[in-house]
């Protein structure tokens, strides 16, 4: 880890872990798909793996499901090492990205599949009763005898969900379950999924590369990059205290100014920017004097004024967003950056027009000094 | 260009059409048409030699198609689980097996079986209880079925492999994720999904075996299959009876081939 190794709370405070990854590494030949993953998932929590394509999210999930065995390290379920335990012996269910519904079975047969595998056999009547109940939960009552290809994408997704939750798994794994849905349906399903998770109390592990989805749904998010976990934390923690430029960029938007860390005193530090300016900010963990760093300031933390102190900029573009106005401003040597002004500020100060001169300032506490990577 | 294509098709299908046409000939000469009649069909079907040969052909075709489908499917499923160079080698061997000319398979099977029988027969005779006549392994229906099964298995492997490869891996994973054992997954997910392909493989194998002359000619021993019967009687001249047999065989073969084709298409669509 470049930044001293602190990735946040690997263990959630005070709760019993239902699943754990301990130093888990997975190689596919030359490809390092997962590298030294350390993570503990608490009972009843909603955890997301967030990261760009190919960063190893699916691989991590598949090791929990039992489709891949780790090359190194241990996977634990309920405190027991299960590295080589086959998928059909694990009390874990998965919702597949393309749903993977059985095309030769009806909706009811698909949903009852897991229950039908259990020995000693569960009576038929009980299975069909539980199937109806599961259909109720996903709001598909009455669709029992439909064929899979007669269902829309959103309905198929619910069937896939019902097929997993009917088994009351200890852990429900979801691999980008909403990726195939359109925007509106995705929003609806996100809310339903969250409700469902609270209602059932099942632990959810969601894989996504959609930051909004992860931020709005999760108790904790695990940010991944190139097979490594970069940071773990609640959505607020990741937003307010990212441990690297990568995280600050991935979670929300931010403005970055590159420079060298000058003097690290307790609490506050000074950065010599590449253009020769010096600014103060809050240093992140594990940074050393002289290190190449960047200063991150969120657009909504910046204030745009006509008089006083601040960076002299020119307004380049203005987008009215209702509650906020987004200004793209240009500084002579620092380049372009974004400022998000609340409606209130626009009303009291008067809105800026394109090509207006303005002064940008922010609180020192809003400037985070971060690892460049 | 179009004319050329038409000529090719005419060239291909005129002889077949002529055979079908002359099978309804009322006259007894194969070369001149003398009115319409189905009497040659009746004659063919009441000829005990024809019926004998037909029975042999049907038994051989059914048994070899059955064995080929079962073993071919098993091989295909096993191959699916293997990766890397081993699988590539086996894939290559399977394709080669299908492309080897029938005459080579015929000779090879003949030599192979004769050698094995020569080794086994004294052995069996030696361990057989005194006073009983020991059975003698020789060419016959068994060797016919064996030769056809070996050849057709490769065909079934190819058809079933194509179907398996088109099947989403996530389906079998979903099944095991839902607590099904590997056997349960095979029975409840894999088998139903590849069944159309297996059936198509069975029908194709049946047709190939039923129509095969070359391999059968080498390994049939004293048995006579329908193609062998047709071949031997044709040396005494082409009669309308032969035409009738040919037309019937062709009709049945076409029916089976079309069914197989439909199965493969429908099966392919459903899995999407
Ligand atoms: N079975 C496999 N064989 C070889 N390489 C693999 C295999 N599965 C995954 N990989 C590689 O491992 C890396 C991580 O893959 P993974 O599927 O976990 O990514 P991901 O984060 O889920 O990406 P996406 O968002 O695109 O689904 C990739 O480089 C991928 O090519
Ligand atoms: Mg993935």
């Amino acid at each position: 880890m470049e930044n001293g190794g602190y990735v946040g709370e690997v263990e959630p405070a005070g709760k019993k872990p239902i699943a754990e990854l301990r130093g888990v590494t997975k190689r596919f030949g030359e490809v390092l798909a997962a590298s030294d993953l350390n993570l503990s998932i608490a009972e009843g929590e909603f955890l997301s793996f967030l990261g760009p394509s190919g960063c190893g999210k699916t691989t991590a999930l598949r090791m929990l499901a039992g489709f891949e065995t780790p090359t190194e390290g241990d996977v634990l379920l309920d405190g027991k090492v299960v590295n080589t335990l086959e998928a059909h012996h694990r009390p874990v269910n998965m919702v597949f990205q393309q749903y993977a519904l059985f095309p030769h079975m009806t909706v009811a047969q698909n949903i009852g599949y897991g229950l039908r595998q259990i020995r000693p056999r569960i009576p038929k009547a009980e299975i069909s009763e539980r199937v109806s109940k599961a259909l109720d939960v996903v709001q598909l009552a009455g669709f029992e005898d439909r064929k899979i290809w007669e269902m829309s994408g959103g309905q198929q997704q619910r069937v896939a969900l019902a097929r997993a939750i009917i088994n009351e798994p200890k852990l429900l794994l979801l691999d980008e379950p909403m990726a195939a849905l359109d925007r509106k349906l995705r929003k609806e399903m996100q809310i339903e999924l969250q409700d469902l998770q609270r209602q059932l109390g099942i632990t959810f592990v969601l894989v996504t590369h959609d930051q909004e989805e992860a931020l709005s749904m999760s108790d904790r998010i695990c940010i991944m990059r190139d097979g490594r976990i970069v940071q773990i934390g609640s959505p607020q923690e990741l937003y307010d205290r990212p441990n690297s430029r990568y995280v600050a960029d991935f979670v929300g938007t931010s403005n970055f100014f590159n420079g060298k860390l000058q003097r690290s005193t307790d609490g506050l530090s000074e950065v010599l920017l590449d253009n020769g300016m010096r600014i103060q900010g809050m240093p992140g963990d594990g940074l050393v004097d002289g290190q190449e760093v960047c200063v991150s300031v969120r657009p909504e933390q910046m204030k745009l004024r006509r008089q006083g102190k601040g960076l002299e900029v020119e307004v380049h573009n203005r987008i009215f967003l209702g509650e906020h106005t987004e200004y793209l401003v240009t500084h002579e040597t620092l380049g372009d950056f974004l400022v998000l002004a609340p409606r209130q500020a626009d009303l009291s100060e008067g809105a800026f027009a394109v090509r207006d001169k303005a002064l940008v300032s922010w609180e020192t506490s809003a400037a985070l000094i971060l690892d460049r990577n | 260009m179009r004319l050329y294509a038409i000529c090719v098709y005419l060239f291909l299908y005129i002889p077949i059409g002529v055979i079908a046409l002359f099978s309804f000939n009322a006259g007894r000469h194969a070369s001149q048409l003398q009115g319409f009649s189905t009497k040659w069909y009746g004659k063919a079907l009441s000829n005990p030699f024809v019926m004998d040969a037909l029975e042999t052909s049907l038994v051989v075709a059914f048994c070899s198609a059955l064995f080929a489908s079962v073993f071919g499917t098993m091989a295909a499923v096993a191959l699916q689980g293997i990766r890397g160079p081993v699988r590539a080698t086996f894939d290559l061997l399977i394709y080669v097996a299908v492309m080897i000319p029938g005459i080579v398979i015929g000779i090879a099977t003949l030599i192979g079986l004769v050698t094995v029988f020569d080794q086994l027969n004294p052995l069996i005779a030696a361990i057989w209880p005194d006073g009983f006549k020991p059975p003698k392994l020789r060419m016959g229906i068994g060797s016919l079925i064996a030769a056809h099964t070996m050849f057709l298995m490769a065909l079934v492997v190819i058809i079933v492999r194509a179907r398996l490869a088109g099947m989403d891996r996530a389906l079998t994973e979903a099944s095991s994720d839902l607590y099904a054992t590997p056997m349960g997954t095979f029975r409840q997910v894999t088998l139903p999904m590849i069944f159309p392909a297996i059936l198509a493989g069975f029908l194709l194998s049946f047709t190939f075996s039923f129509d095969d002359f070359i391999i059968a000619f080498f390994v049939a021993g004293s048995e006579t299959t329908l193609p062998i019967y047709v071949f031997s009687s044709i040396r005494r001249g082409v009669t309308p009876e032969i035409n009738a047999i040919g037309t019937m065989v062709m009709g049945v073969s076409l029916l089976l081939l079309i069914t197989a084709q439909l199965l493969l298409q429908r099966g392919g669509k459903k899995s999407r």
Side-chain angles (χ1 to χ4, degrees):
Chain A
M1 204 92 244
E2 291 92 340
N3 55 357
Y6 182 76
V7 295
E9 286 300 315
V10 167
E11 305 207 5
K15 282 191 197 155
K16 190 175 141 228
I18 195 101
E20 284 173 82
L21 300 177
R22 288 191 189 157
V24 169
T25 296
K26 177 71 187 177
R27 281 193 193 84
F28 295 105
E30 292 291 292
V31 182
L32 187 62
S35 165
D36 193 28
L37 305 182
N38 285 291
L39 173 69
S40 166
I41 303 166
E43 200 163 0
E45 100 169 305
F46 196 134
L47 181 113
S48 296
F49 283 106
L50 176 65
S53 188
C55 70
K57 308 178 297 281
T58 299
T59 305
L61 209 63
R62 289 172 61 83
M63 285 191 285
L64 286 168
F67 299 133
E68 310 282 2
T69 44
T71 315
E72 283 163 38
D74 290 325
V75 177
L76 286 85
L77 284 177
D78 244 351
K80 283 191 276 299
V81 176
V82 293
N83 292 356
T84 55
L85 190 69
E86 289 152 307
H88 62 274
H89 291 305
R90 297 195 188 191
V92 169
N93 287 119
M94 181 146 160
V95 176
F96 289 77
Q97 186 161 357
Q98 304 297 332
Y99 314 144
L101 298 171
F102 305 122
H104 57 291
M105 297 182 193
T106 63
V107 167
Q109 285 170 334
N110 261 283
I111 297 176
Y113 191 89
L115 295 181
R116 287 204 303 279
Q117 311 306 318
I118 292 169
R119 300 289 177 273
R121 282 179 188 279
I122 300 174
K124 277 222 170 70
E126 190 189 328
I127 291 182
S128 67
E129 191 182 316
R130 282 173 70 178
V131 167
S132 323
K133 228 182 255 166
L135 276 169
D136 272 348
V137 172
V138 297
Q139 303 174 18
L140 281 180
F143 281 77
E144 276 89 345
D145 297 324
R146 285 276 195 109
K147 296 274 191 281
I148 293 306
W149 65 83
E150 295 168 350
M151 309 285 280
S152 74
Q155 289 170 334
Q156 288 188 12
Q157 213 244 354
R158 287 158 204 252
V159 175
L161 202 57
R163 185 175 71 171
I165 59 172
I166 193 173
N167 307 299
E168 295 167 4
K170 292 245 165 87
L171 200 59
L172 183 68
L173 309 172
L174 305 113
D175 192 358
E176 309 210 19
M178 260 95 61
L181 304 182
D182 64 49
R183 226 186 132 66
K184 188 161 168 286
L185 205 53
R186 200 180 320 166
K187 279 265 173 300
E188 279 175 33
M189 277 313 294
Q190 284 172 4
I191 294 168
E192 266 179 51
L193 213 56
Q194 253 183 314
D195 286 349
L196 201 64
Q197 198 253 346
R198 288 199 199 104
Q199 190 184 324
L200 300 173
I202 297 176
T203 311
F204 276 36
V205 178
L206 174 82
V207 159
T208 179
H209 58 245
D210 179 343
Q211 57 139 317
E212 253 178 72
E213 191 169 294
L215 286 175
S216 64
M217 297 173 76
S218 329
D219 296 324
R220 279 195 310 157
I221 301 175
C222 189
I223 309 259
M224 291 190 71
R225 177 188 196 183
D226 299 336
R228 289 174 293 111
I229 293 177
V230 182
Q231 190 172 6
I232 308 171
S234 70
Q236 295 78 5
E237 277 167 356
L238 295 179
Y239 191 86
D240 295 337
R241 292 198 301 281
N243 68 356
S244 61
R245 177 186 171 142
Y246 180 80
V247 175
D249 204 15
F250 216 93
V251 180
T253 30
S254 197
N255 299 299
F256 300 104
F257 309 110
N258 286 341
K260 261 202 180 75
L261 188 64
Q262 286 302 88
R263 207 166 0 101
S264 221
T265 47
D266 268 347
L268 277 188
S269 293
E270 199 173 64
V271 175
L272 175 63
L273 296 186
D274 291 351
N275 69 347
M277 278 171 56
R278 289 169 185 277
I279 54 177
Q280 300 228 305
M282 316 287 292
D285 292 288
L287 298 177
V288 293
D289 287 3
Q291 190 177 337
E292 302 269 342
V293 291
C294 73
V295 179
S296 157
V297 187
R298 298 273 184 205
E300 72 272 16
Q301 305 272 21
M302 291 184 161
K303 282 195 196 67
L304 216 51
R305 281 183 296 198
R306 294 185 198 279
Q307 293 139 15
K309 282 205 316 185
L311 296 170
E312 288 172 24
V313 295
E314 188 184 285
V315 176
H316 203 77
N317 198 4
R318 194 182 86 164
I319 302 167
F320 180 64
L321 296 172
E323 284 173 43
H324 297 275
T325 308
E326 190 182 275
Y327 292 100
L328 180 68
V329 300
T330 312
H331 182 267
E332 237 187 320
T333 47
L334 289 174
D336 293 348
F337 49 94
L338 278 178
V339 180
L340 204 59
R343 183 92 187 105
Q344 204 52 47
D346 269 2
L347 289 176
S348 58
E349 293 262 331
F352 290 84
V354 173
R355 254 184 252 135
D356 276 3
K357 299 275 184 227
L359 295 162
V360 174
S361 62
W362 56 82
E363 302 283 322
T364 307
S365 62
L368 303 177
I369 302 171
L370 301 173
D371 192 292
R372 246 226 229 139
N373 289 293
Chain B
M1 208 56 211
R2 215 184 193 161
L3 190 74
Y4 178 73
I6 291 172
C7 283
V8 168
Y9 274 97
L10 285 180
F11 186 70
L12 276 175
Y13 285 103
I14 280 183
I16 296 173
V18 167
I19 286 180
L21 186 66
F22 274 80
S23 68
F24 294 107
N25 191 357
R28 93 165 329 290
H29 292 290
S31 49
Q32 54 194 129
L33 271 176
Q34 290 169 343
F36 177 85
S37 145
T38 53
K39 73 173 177 190
W40 296 109
Y41 284 86
K43 201 141 188 204
L45 291 177
S46 57
N47 181 340
F49 293 110
V50 173
M51 293 319 282
D52 246 15
L54 178 66
E55 193 192 315
T56 310
S57 275
L58 285 177
V59 169
V60 169
F62 181 80
C63 293
S64 43
L66 188 70
F67 290 146
S69 316
V70 171
F71 296 129
T73 303
M74 281 160 60
V77 170
L79 272 178
Q80 193 66 14
I82 302 172
R83 267 177 228 170
V86 182
R87 175 152 145 188
T89 313
F90 274 99
D91 276 349
L92 190 72
L93 286 177
I94 291 285
Y95 279 103
V96 168
V98 172
M99 283 186 298
I100 288 177
I103 192 160
V104 177
I105 297 183
I107 296 173
T109 321
L110 178 69
I111 296 173
L113 287 177
V114 165
T115 317
V116 172
F117 290 168
D118 280 353
Q119 300 286 324
L120 281 184
N121 277 334
L123 257 174
I124 294 173
I127 59 166
W128 213 254
D130 286 339
F132 295 95
K133 192 175 172 296
K136 205 159 184 271
L137 296 174
R138 62 160 87 86
M139 293 298 151
I141 233 171
S143 59
L144 265 172
I145 294 173
H148 278 174
T149 302
M150 283 199 297
F151 166 68
L152 295 169
M153 227 172 79
L155 185 75
V156 175
V157 170
I158 288 178
I159 294 173
V160 174
R161 273 293 304 281
R163 189 79 187 79
L164 277 173
M167 215 175 111
D168 192 355
R169 182 179 65 153
L171 288 177
T172 46
E173 283 182 349
S175 170
S176 66
D177 187 58
L178 293 163
Y179 320 129
T181 57
M183 198 55 217
T185 298
F186 179 74
R187 205 166 41 74
Q188 297 170 89
V189 177
T190 313
L191 198 56
M193 295 204 60
I194 61 174
F195 191 71
I198 300 175
L199 202 57
F202 177 86
L203 293 179
L204 283 179
S205 301
F206 190 94
T207 320
F208 271 53
S209 166
F210 193 72
D211 294 348
D212 168 67
F213 169 72
I214 302 174
I215 301 176
F217 189 72
F218 282 96
V219 296
S222 59
E223 292 289 341
T224 305
T225 65
L226 202 56
I228 293 179
Y229 172 82
V230 170
F231 176 75
S232 53
S233 55
I234 233 166
R235 281 190 291 196
R236 279 174 267 127
V238 181
T239 62
E241 192 183 332
I242 297 293
N243 286 339
I245 295 171
T247 310
M248 285 191 285
V249 169
M250 191 172 65
V252 173
S253 301
L254 268 181
L255 201 71
L256 293 181
L257 287 177
I258 290 170
T259 315
Q261 191 57 36
L262 287 178
L263 277 170
L264 284 178
Q265 271 176 8
R266 212 193 48 173
K269 237 183 264 149
K270 241 189 191 171
S271 75
R272 294 294 111 89

